[in-house]
Amino acid sequence: MEIIERKGYLLAQKEKGRTVFGVFPAQYPKEILWAMNAVPAEIWDPPVEVAGANAHLQSYICSVVRMGMELILQGKCYFLDGFLFPHTCDSIQNMASVIYDYMGAKSPCYFFYHPKAPYSQGAPEYYMAQLRNLADLLEKQLGPMDHRALKEAIEASNHISGLLHQLYEKRATAQIPGGNREFYRVVRQVEYLLPEDLIPALEKYLHKNQGKDPQNKIPVILSGVLPNPPQLLDLLDELGVRIAHDDLLNGSRRLLGPPIDPSTDPFKAMRDQYFQMPPCSTRSSPIEQRSDFLLQLIQKTGAKGVIFNIVKFCEPEWFDVPNLQTELKKHNIPSLVLDTEINQGLSGQMTTRVEAFVEMIS
Ligand code: SF4
């Protein structure tokens, strides 16, 4: 399946006169950026060798943050018109202040503070105020936002969400023959393509993949932040394991709920969708909600186990994993915890642990 290459795509959008924003993980109202003719380019796991970032960050900061900062330090974000830092976790918050307050970022920086659970009565209004505030600030750089464009962006977002749901459903029922690596290469295009290019790409993949996966692969759930290192996906492919669904921060935890009509008030539609998203460690969701979510995925897919692929030093995830494992044990669901570094491959020991786990569940 042909993938649209990220940097070439973003540079081509610049040539078309669009602005491009570097966006750090994880959840943000991309529809507002789309409505202002801006392209959000998410920064999760850029392929850079970390050197200079180590001097600015504590040794216990995760590699997502380390690599994002390195990308900026190496001047590879020269074509970006600004940065958006959602308040996902303390590490991103820390990086945002280092970049904005101490390094003197040359491009405008925006911050987005979404509410954390447990949600109080005021949380929906607070969230809507944050949406409006972000739109107001962006308007100062990008010009007035056309509210019709925002409604269209929300409709496009609903359409994309519907396609992703269909892809995940097909994956859950073994109706997508490709491997794990290919699936994530395709769906991760959501991190940088505009709807006009993303929708045809997802539709093509969906329609190309008709029919049953001929192989009798072992279904598992992959939980964690993102499907990296890619060698893990390759190993699972080699071992005949299908990631039947995921509970990934940059995967299904960002899937929107049922479409909400944006025609009355697009900000309210975005607000209501936020509060329907699946539970997540970075939004402080209670463990019961997270374990219920995992158990639902297991029931739906017939998964034989859960692989927690946790980024080293990812505080929000590491707080939840022991409790989630305890809950899974109560239901006799086997699980494996991997402590991985972004783009660092799999050690021999880790490979052996994955092989042993797969042997056990099969
Ligand atoms: S990996 Fe974890 S700690 Fe790092 S940015 Fe993502 S959520 Fe934050």
Side-chain angles (χ1 to χ4, degrees):
M1 175 78 191
E2 196 188 323
I3 302 296
I4 301 174
E5 190 263 323
R6 186 182 297 242
K7 185 163 180 198
Y9 178 80
L10 297 174
L11 290 174
Q13 297 310 311
K14 289 282 290 185
E15 277 174 21
K16 287 182 184 170
R18 288 180 168 133
T19 42
V20 181
F21 280 74
V23 182
F24 284 88
Q27 194 278 331
Y28 63 99
K30 58 172 63 170
E31 298 82 1
I32 291 178
L33 288 151
W34 288 344
M36 293 186 178
N37 208 21
V39 189
E42 298 177 11
I43 301 171
W44 290 84
D45 50 354
V48 285
E49 281 289 321
V50 175
N54 288 335
H56 297 274
L57 297 167
Q58 299 93 325
S59 54
Y60 48 82
I61 296 290
C62 73
S63 43
V64 170
V65 162
R66 208 167 283 284
M67 288 186 165
M69 181 179 267
E70 187 68 38
L71 195 74
I72 296 176
L73 289 172
Q74 290 187 11
K76 294 190 170 158
C77 297
Y78 67 92
F79 61 95
L80 298 180
D81 300 287
F83 292 101
L84 174 60
F85 299 94
H87 188 188
T88 301
C89 58
D90 289 350
S91 301
I92 294 221
Q93 183 77 356
N94 177 23
M95 171 183 59
S97 49
V98 172
I99 291 172
Y100 183 68
D101 297 323
Y102 299 112
M103 284 167 49
K106 293 187 184 70
S107 309
C109 294
Y110 299 89
F111 307 91
F112 184 65
Y113 300 93
H114 36 56
K116 310 281 180 187
Y119 299 122
S120 65
Q121 257 192 342
E125 284 314 301
Y126 166 81
Y127 185 67
M128 208 148 87
Q130 288 300 309
L131 293 174
R132 288 192 199 280
N133 183 47
L134 180 65
D136 289 348
L137 291 172
L138 285 168
E139 278 183 332
K140 292 194 175 82
Q141 182 184 350
L142 305 177
M145 180 172 64
D146 176 351
H147 278 245
R148 205 180 42 201
L150 182 57
K151 284 179 191 168
E152 285 168 7
I154 294 172
E155 279 159 6
S157 188
N158 284 334
H159 188 167
I160 290 163
S161 177
L163 290 169
L164 288 169
H165 275 287
Q166 282 184 61
L167 278 170
Y168 271 93
E169 287 299 319
K170 283 191 156 215
R171 188 98 193 129
T173 48
Q175 290 180 71
I176 292 194
N180 300 310
R181 174 79 95 116
E182 185 182 61
F183 180 77
Y184 284 106
R185 284 180 73 223
V186 173
V187 299
R188 289 195 65 187
Q189 292 178 105
V190 300
E191 294 168 17
Y192 56 96
L193 292 188
L194 288 171
E196 66 201 44
D197 301 303
L198 180 58
I199 290 171
L202 295 179
E203 281 176 343
K204 194 171 162 192
Y205 185 56
L206 194 60
H207 296 131
K208 178 191 138 195
N209 284 296
Q210 300 286 358
K212 275 267 174 204
D213 187 346
Q215 292 170 30
N216 192 18
K217 290 183 185 158
I218 305 155
V220 299
I221 306 295
L222 184 67
S223 181
V225 172
L226 72 164
N228 188 305
Q231 289 81 359
L232 173 61
L233 304 181
D234 292 340
L235 177 62
L236 294 175
D237 279 331
E238 277 167 32
L239 296 172
V241 173
R242 171 171 53 90
I243 299 171
H245 213 295
D246 70 50
D247 166 49
L248 294 174
L249 176 57
N250 89 335
S252 84
R253 281 192 225 164
R254 297 199 299 171
L255 283 181
L256 299 176
I260 292 173
D261 181 8
S263 56
T264 43
D265 183 341
F267 285 97
K268 276 191 183 154
M270 281 191 286
R271 174 198 68 185
D272 293 345
Q273 282 192 319
Y274 175 81
F275 289 97
Q276 285 184 3
M277 286 167 79
C280 179
S281 61
T282 67
R283 292 194 296 276
S284 308
S285 303
I287 284 294
E288 304 75 54
Q289 284 182 19
R290 290 208 59 206
S291 60
D292 284 353
F293 180 68
L294 276 175
L295 290 168
Q296 278 168 24
L297 293 183
I298 291 161
Q299 196 177 28
K300 181 157 97 175
T301 59
K304 304 286 181 215
V306 177
I307 298 178
F308 292 99
N309 174 41
I310 310 298
V311 177
K312 204 179 196 79
F313 302 126
C314 174
E315 245 184 34
E317 288 291 286
W318 282 110
F319 274 131
D320 279 4
V321 164
N323 294 329
L324 289 174
Q325 276 200 297
T326 305
E327 290 305 311
L328 291 176
K329 256 189 210 149
K330 287 181 193 164
H331 294 83
N332 296 322
I333 310 286
S335 62
L336 171 73
V337 181
L338 301 172
D339 182 10
T340 50
E341 289 270 28
I342 298 296
N343 295 341
Q344 295 296 307
L346 281 185
S347 65
Q349 192 199 42
M350 240 180 246
T351 303
T352 309
R353 290 183 60 222
V354 175
E355 287 168 348
F357 179 72
V358 171
E359 200 177 312
M360 177 187 63
I361 61 174
S362 58

